[in-house]
């Protein structure tokens, strides 16, 4: 058509647009990760070469689509082509060093700003994993960077509750965790076939937890949750050794028997030097159709645990909230859609969000950490 002039395509504009393409596993721009191999501008046609971390990258289609979308927004671009290739071993090594220049567990370093919560209970069946998953997804929905380590190796349930159907991706000796509802998650359940039992003893449990914390690349998290097995056994001790800065969230039901056992789970912090962040009472009263509340498991257990831990530890331990019995909470877990996302108006979701409010308001501590500043000469 006469009078219509095509806009010259700027390579700088193309590269600026590609900077907005985020690797879905590493959560960083592809150009910063060394994945942007080449950019060729030929009139209105742009060809981009992208390096995948591994040949079987499960999200290659997502990356390719995001690149096409980014290029389509650049003025003057009419045709786009994405050429996918795979990183060489040397390039993968450089990527690993770029992402994690130091070995070890990043969350245990003095300069780490990640808040680490180890969710514990005295006994099983109190809904500890459901509480963990819902708090994590609620915080992630607010824009926080959140991860979960399913440390309940023998009774893993977090992937199912979270609807995490993806599998971890291995980039040499670095593991990239799947992401579900904005939460990065790792679990031994992702490495076993079907519903196979894991028959491991103490040293193997310690090593598995160490690998989850050291070899899995979570990136810079705001909050990391560890879903601990019930009791005060090997994994709880390992967490205190590997993550001495982790704070305990004690989950109990209202009944006296559960509260007494939960108190023991919290009291172990006196031996490990960890802090108890608070107590959460799950399975509180059930609201009946006529509006009355039935205390199926009794009442007052959470408050008793908080008071007894305050006395035993010599420091205030708060009852952070009481989560009522709610059929929707169970239904959400079965469906892999946490209740705070699937039915945010339900009574359990409201209580869980209130607890998340308290956790989100807690600043990431700077005590004992280097601020990287020095007095002017």
């Amino acid at each position: 058509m006469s009078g219509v002039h095509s806009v010259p395509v700027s390579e700088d504009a193309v590269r600026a647009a590609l900077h907005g393409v985020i690797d879905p596993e590493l959560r960083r721009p592809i150009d910063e990760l060394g994945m942007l191999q080449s950019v060729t501008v030929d009139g209105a046609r742009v060809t981009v070469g992208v390096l995948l971390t591994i040949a079987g990258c499960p999200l290659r289609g997502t990356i390719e689509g995001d690149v096409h979308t980014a290029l389509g927004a650049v003025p003057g671009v009419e045709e786009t082509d994405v050429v996918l290739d795979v990183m060489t071993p040397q390039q993968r090594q450089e990527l690993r060093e770029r992402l994690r220049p130091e070995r070890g567990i990043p969350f245990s370093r003095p300069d780490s700003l990640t808040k680490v919560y180890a969710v514990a209970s005295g006994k099983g069946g109190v809904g500890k994993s459901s509480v963990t998953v819902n708090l994590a997804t609620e915080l992630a929905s607010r824009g926080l960077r959140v991860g979960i380590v399913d440390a309940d190796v023998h009774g893993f349930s977090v992937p199912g509750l979270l609807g995490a159907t993806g599998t971890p991706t291995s980039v040499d000796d670095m593991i990239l965790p799947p992401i579900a509802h904005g939460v990065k998650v790792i679990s031994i359940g992702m490495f076993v076939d079907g519903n196979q039992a894991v028959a491991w003893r103490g040293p193997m449990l310690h090593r598995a937890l160490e690998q989850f914390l050291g070899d899995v690349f979570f990136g810079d998290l705001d909050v990391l949750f560890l879903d601990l097995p019930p009791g005060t056994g090997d994994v709880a001790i390992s967490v205190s050794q590997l993550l001495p800065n982790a704070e305990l969230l004690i989950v109990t039901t209202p009944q006296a028997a559960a509260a007494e056992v939960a108190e023991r789970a919290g009291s172990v912090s006196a031996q490990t030097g960890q802090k108890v962040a608070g107590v959460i009472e799950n399975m509180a009263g059930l609201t009946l159709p006529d509006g009355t509340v039935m205390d199926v498991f009794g009442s007052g257990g959470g408050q008793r645990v908080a008071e007894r831990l305050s006395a035993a530890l010599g420091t205030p331990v708060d009852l952070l909230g009481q989560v009522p019995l709610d059929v929707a909470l169970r239904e959400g877990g079965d469906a892999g859609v946490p209740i705070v996302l699937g039915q945010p108006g339900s009574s359990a979701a409201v209580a869980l969000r209130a607890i998340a409010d308290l956790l989100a308001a807690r600043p990431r501590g700077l005590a004992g950490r280097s601020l990287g500043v020095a007095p002017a000469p």
Side-chain angles (χ1 to χ4, degrees):
M1 183 182 298
S2 60
V4 176
H5 301 282
S6 60
V7 178
V9 177
S10 164
E11 181 175 335
D12 289 342
V14 170
R15 290 186 177 274
L18 292 173
H19 182 69
V21 177
I22 307 299
D23 181 272
E25 293 180 302
L26 297 172
R27 297 293 184 92
R28 294 192 185 179
I30 59 172
D31 55 347
E32 291 184 2
L33 297 171
M35 297 174 64
L36 185 56
Q37 185 181 34
S38 61
V39 174
T40 303
V41 177
D42 182 10
R45 181 181 182 85
V46 177
T47 302
V48 174
V50 176
L51 293 174
L52 302 175
T53 53
I54 58 173
C57 178
L59 296 175
R60 60 186 298 153
T62 300
I63 296 173
E64 184 175 6
D66 289 348
V67 171
H68 279 297
T69 300
L71 294 175
V74 177
V77 174
E78 298 177 2
E79 297 180 65
T80 61
D81 189 22
V82 180
V83 180
L84 301 178
D85 203 346
V86 182
M87 287 184 171
T88 65
Q90 177 62 31
Q91 288 170 325
R92 281 196 296 271
Q93 177 66 18
E94 292 172 355
L95 173 63
R96 192 199 66 76
E97 292 176 353
R98 184 182 295 115
L99 293 174
R100 181 168 291 172
E102 300 179 32
R103 293 284 186 173
I105 299 173
F107 308 112
S108 65
R109 294 184 185 132
D111 60 347
S112 173
L113 293 177
T114 302
K115 291 291 295 185
V116 181
Y117 292 112
V119 186
S121 66
K123 61 190 295 293
V126 300
K128 168 181 51 60
S129 299
S130 295
V131 168
T132 301
V133 164
N134 276 280
L135 291 178
T137 51
E138 172 61 24
L139 292 176
S141 72
R142 303 180 185 194
L144 297 181
R145 294 162 295 187
V146 184
I148 298 179
V149 171
D150 187 357
D152 193 350
V153 175
H154 294 134
F156 52 86
S157 59
V158 167
L161 294 171
L162 194 58
T165 58
T167 57
T169 301
S170 294
V171 180
D172 294 340
D173 58 351
M174 185 173 62
I175 301 172
L176 307 182
I179 301 173
H181 303 299
V183 177
K184 295 183 177 182
V185 59
I186 196 71
S187 170
I188 195 64
M190 298 171 177
F191 298 92
V192 299
D193 294 328
N195 201 28
Q196 177 184 345
V198 179
W200 287 355
R201 304 184 77 170
M204 295 178 69
L205 297 173
H206 181 91
R207 178 57 184 150
L209 183 59
E210 190 173 32
Q211 283 191 287
F212 282 169
L213 294 171
D215 293 348
V216 176
F217 179 76
F218 284 99
D220 183 21
L221 296 181
D222 295 301
V223 183
L224 174 67
F225 288 94
L226 288 91
D227 183 29
L228 302 187
T232 57
D234 293 313
V235 173
I237 295 172
S238 293
V239 168
S240 69
Q241 295 171 341
L242 298 172
L243 293 170
N245 60 322
E247 299 182 26
L248 298 178
L249 285 173
I250 306 299
V251 179
T252 184
T253 55
Q255 67 190 100
E260 290 176 2
V261 182
E263 182 186 345
R264 291 199 292 270
S267 296
V268 75
S269 64
Q271 303 173 40
T272 62
Q274 294 171 298
K275 180 181 178 181
V276 176
V279 176
I280 299 171
E281 183 182 278
N282 194 30
M283 303 183 189
L286 172 66
T287 301
L288 300 177
D290 64 359
T292 60
V293 176
M294 176 186 292
D295 293 323
V296 179
F297 294 103
S299 62
Q303 187 60 47
R304 286 196 297 273
V305 172
E307 292 173 354
R308 290 175 182 176
L309 285 178
S310 297
L313 301 176
T315 184
V317 175
D318 295 328
L319 175 62
L320 300 179
Q322 296 169 289
V323 183
L325 271 172
D326 194 331
V327 174
L329 180 60
R330 190 269 305 163
E331 292 174 339
D334 289 346
V337 181
I339 191 173
V340 293
L341 302 180
Q343 298 193 46
S346 63
S347 58
V350 171
L352 287 161
R353 281 203 308 277
I355 297 170
D357 288 340
L358 297 175
L359 297 183
R362 295 165 63 105
R364 298 197 287 182
L366 297 174
R369 299 185 172 109
S370 173
L371 298 180
V373 296

